[in-house]
């Protein structure tokens, strides 16, 4: 099961006070759908998945345990 307890902020290189991006490490049994729902429950998971794919340069929705994923900032 996915837990936002595994999410950690990453450093931002922008001098603006934008919130840092979050990085989650995929755990055994995690899916991109589950990660998307947990990270942005008010947003259509398909939209969040597309943003995750783009941010991480992934060719498709397959993820593996131990893989770090940058999550999109909340809208």
């Amino acid at each position: 099961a996915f837990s936002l307890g595994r999410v950690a902020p990453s450093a931002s290189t922008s001098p603006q006070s934008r919130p840092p991006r979050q990085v989650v490490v995929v755990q055994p049994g995690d899916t991109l759908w589950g990660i998307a729902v947990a990270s942005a429950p008010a947003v259509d998971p398909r939209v969040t998945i597309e943003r995750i794919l783009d941010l991480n340069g992934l060719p498709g929705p397959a993820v593996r345990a131990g893989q770090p994923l940058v999550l999109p900032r909340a809208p």
Side-chain angles (χ1 to χ4, degrees):
F2 176 77
S3 166
L4 285 179
R6 293 185 297 253
V7 175
S10 64
S12 174
T13 58
S14 172
Q16 300 171 347
S17 61
R18 290 174 45 166
R21 294 198 185 240
Q22 293 184 326
V23 176
V24 64
V25 177
V26 178
Q27 299 299 306
D30 282 351
T31 63
L32 213 48
W33 185 273
I35 292 168
V37 169
S39 67
V43 179
D44 182 339
R46 294 169 292 189
V47 172
T48 304
I49 289 170
E50 283 300 317
R51 292 179 67 202
I52 293 171
L53 292 173
D54 289 343
L55 281 171
N56 293 279
L58 299 175
V63 292
R64 67 186 190 301
Q67 179 179 6
L69 293 175
V70 176
L71 300 179
R73 288 186 177 90

